[in-house]
Amino acid sequence: MAKINKERLVRILKFAEEANPQPVDLIAALGPEADEAIVEIQYLRDHGLLDVIISTSLDGEFFLGTTRITSAGLDYLSEDGGLTEELGGTTVKIHADSLQQMLELMVLRSDLDQPHKQRYVDELRKLPAETTKHLALKAVDAAMANSGKLLPLLQSMLG
């Protein structure tokens, strides 16, 4: 089985995106590598990123019908995942003040002595919202990295 060439796979999608909403002539766009690209074209079709009919002649030659990028293909190329991500993902929005309060609570519940706790809480309150957000994401990363400690907490909370 031939390996998927990720670079060519993305180029194929970009050719189709550039032609959108019109069909793209992938044979012309790919030039001499069109014969080798059939693996990526089939892969993209099978994953619903391209809408294309692939026919094979009796002697094994491939023919491509009208080729268009699908909405899933457009979303794949989109940096934010497009509507697929928006409709299928879960977004959790937490206000900056809530993030700050959670971080303060972490500090206050720590084993630090009171003067250090107060100093950290005071510093947290001075941080801009974007820095607080970044710090909260790092705290989540740390929690995931220490999942052995997180698991008993979850078990006790979930019964």
Side-chain angles (χ1 to χ4, degrees):
M1 179 177 177
K3 285 188 105 178
I4 300 296
N5 179 322
K6 282 275 276 197
E7 182 182 304
R8 184 168 41 216
L9 187 139
V10 171
R11 273 190 294 134
I12 291 167
L13 279 176
K14 287 187 177 184
F15 287 141
E17 178 187 39
E18 290 166 10
N20 193 43
Q22 299 301 315
V24 63
D25 181 355
L26 285 178
I27 302 298
L30 291 165
E33 68 178 326
D35 286 341
E36 297 171 6
I38 195 67
V39 173
E40 287 82 17
I41 295 168
Q42 286 175 317
Y43 184 78
L44 291 167
R45 181 204 56 198
D46 292 349
H47 283 279
L49 303 178
L50 280 183
D51 184 16
V52 59
I53 295 174
I54 303 171
S55 303
T56 310
S57 69
L58 293 175
D59 63 354
E61 189 176 346
F62 290 100
F63 297 97
L64 299 180
T66 303
T67 306
R68 286 189 172 85
I69 193 167
T70 65
S71 58
L74 290 170
D75 287 350
Y76 177 82
L77 291 176
S78 172
E79 285 186 30
D80 65 359
L83 283 176
T84 301
E85 180 64 29
E86 195 172 315
L87 296 173
T90 300
T91 302
V92 177
K93 293 185 179 185
I94 302 174
H95 195 273
D97 289 343
S98 298
L99 287 174
Q100 184 178 346
Q101 289 171 356
M102 286 189 292
L103 291 170
E104 287 179 17
L105 190 58
M106 284 174 46
V107 170
L108 293 173
R109 288 184 175 171
S110 73
D111 293 335
L112 294 172
D113 58 19
Q114 194 56 39
H116 281 103
K117 287 181 184 182
Q118 192 56 52
R119 189 179 120 231
Y120 285 134
V121 167
D122 291 343
E123 291 297 319
L124 279 170
R125 290 179 180 163
K126 294 177 189 175
L127 294 176
E130 198 58 36
T131 305
T132 301
K133 175 183 166 187
H134 179 73
L135 198 54
L137 289 173
K138 290 294 183 187
V140 169
D141 289 343
M144 292 299 142
N146 291 298
S147 60
K149 294 179 181 178
L150 185 60
L151 190 57
L153 174 66
L154 287 174
Q155 288 172 330
S156 69
M157 291 177 70
L158 300 175

